[in-house]
Each structure stands twice: as C-alpha cells, then as structure tokens.
Amino acid sequence: NTQERKTQVPLERRMDMKTKEEKLIERMVRKCMNHLKKKDYELGITKRDVEAAVKCTKVVTKDWCSGATYGGSRVIQINLNYWQHGKEGWHKEYPAYDNCPVIGGRYTKNLEEDFWLSVSHEVAHHVQRKFGPSCRWLRKTHRKPHGQGFKDIYSILRSQIVNPLLGEYEPKRKE
C-alpha cells in the first residue's frame, strides 16, 4: 500500500529514535543536573556537564537479575525492567536509610514516580563519583557508595525536586 510506505520510518532513522521512556528519563536527568548546577551547591557543574550526563545515560531493558540500575562517573543506567519500576506501593531504598523521610523509601502510584526515585538516586551517584573528588564539601565523604557524600547530594535532589512531586511523606506501614 502506497500510504503505508509513506509513513514507514527508514531503518537508519529508527535506530536513532528514542522511546517515550528514554525521553522522559533524559528530561529527569537534565532536570536533576541543572538543579545541582546552581552556584549555591559549589559542585562546579557546567552546561556541558549537564549535556554529558544526559549523553552518558543508558536506558536498558534487562532481566531483573542481570541489569542493575546504577550510576558512576561515566554512566547513568536506568533499567526499565528494574524490579521496583511500575509496581504501585513502597519503593524501597537501602536499609540504612529506608525509613528516612527525605531520602528513604516512598509510596509510589505510577511508573513515572518510580523513575524519579531511581533517576535521582543514580544521578546522585554520578555526581558523587564525577565531582566529589574535586568538590570542597564532598572531598572527604564521596568515596563510600551510600555514605554521607551520596546522602548529601541525594538529599538535595529528593527534597528539592522529587519529594514535592510525590506529595506528603507517609511512613512505611507494618505488614
């Protein structure tokens, strides 16, 4: 059919096309990085660093056991199949701070809220690893994966961007 052929996207263009989830996650990364770029935080993040963070973001769909969601100095990986994505209920954080009202677990209602929690968590790791060694206030605390340096960065993102989107904090209910 001639009409169908006109609307088909050539294979080489399809390879560059992003899914709605990829676009959403890139916007989230950009928003988090732009927030941390503020001079008040003294992280030294530039516009170029924001774009580099977006560019190093990988959105994958891997089985739960083989494809973690993680962040490092050169990568931010978000696994769409991560076990907490898309499950209404308690979005768990690491046990050491799961009950913290600022950076702990939260009840989520939809996939986008789950993405906000995962993306902000991994952006905090990215910033911790990439900017921590040269940042005055992170120099001594940036090494431990979920240590004070990470918690300080994550607290900024959660308190200023994510938590207001999620609404009022509700402690985890006893099961």
Side-chain angles (χ1 to χ4, degrees):
N1 183 329
T2 312
Q3 183 64 23
E4 284 179 282
R5 271 189 250 135
K6 286 181 183 176
T7 59
Q8 286 181 340
V9 179
L11 179 59
E12 61 274 5
R13 278 206 33 233
R14 274 186 272 157
M15 301 297 263
D16 292 338
M17 293 176 70
K18 296 185 190 276
T19 66
K20 66 181 180 183
E21 290 87 4
E22 288 171 313
K23 290 176 186 175
L24 175 63
I25 289 166
E26 285 184 0
R27 282 195 306 271
M28 291 174 173
V29 168
R30 183 173 277 110
K31 183 165 183 142
C32 289
M33 289 297 293
N34 273 322
H35 186 81
L36 293 172
K37 185 176 79 173
K38 292 180 179 180
K39 292 200 186 319
D40 294 351
Y41 299 126
E42 300 177 357
L43 288 161
I45 295 173
T46 65
K47 185 176 180 179
R48 180 178 283 170
D49 295 322
V50 173
E51 292 311 313
V54 172
K55 190 171 185 167
C56 80
T57 300
K58 292 177 15 182
V59 178
V60 298
T61 52
K62 295 184 178 181
D63 292 337
W64 70 271
C65 61
S66 66
T69 291
Y70 59 87
S73 64
R74 294 189 196 113
V75 66
I76 298 167
Q77 178 171 296
I78 305 298
N79 184 359
L80 298 179
N81 289 344
Y82 184 58
W83 68 275
Q84 296 197 102
H85 291 163
K87 294 185 176 161
E88 186 176 327
W90 187 257
H91 186 109
K92 185 179 174 204
E93 270 294 353
Y94 282 81
Y97 55 90
D98 191 44
N99 293 323
C100 174
V102 178
I103 62 170
R106 292 290 295 257
Y107 284 103
T108 58
K109 298 180 283 306
N110 55 53
L111 184 58
E112 186 171 334
E113 290 182 351
D114 289 325
F115 284 163
W116 272 113
L117 288 165
S118 292
V119 168
S120 62
H121 183 112
E122 303 314 336
V123 167
H125 280 307
H126 173 71
V127 170
Q128 167 192 15
R129 295 290 182 217
K130 187 166 183 148
F131 301 96
S134 60
C135 175
R136 177 189 54 78
W137 60 273
L138 288 171
R139 199 169 290 132
K140 294 180 181 175
T141 60
H142 77 278
R143 285 181 182 82
K144 192 172 174 191
H146 292 102
Q148 196 57 50
F150 165 79
K151 290 177 188 175
D152 289 342
I153 299 163
Y154 193 35
S155 291
I156 294 167
L157 295 174
R158 286 285 302 271
S159 66
Q160 300 300 306
I161 297 174
V162 181
N163 293 351
L165 297 171
L166 299 178
E168 191 173 338
Y169 174 74
E170 180 185 339
K172 186 176 182 183
R173 298 183 281 272
K174 304 282 187 221
E175 295 172 0

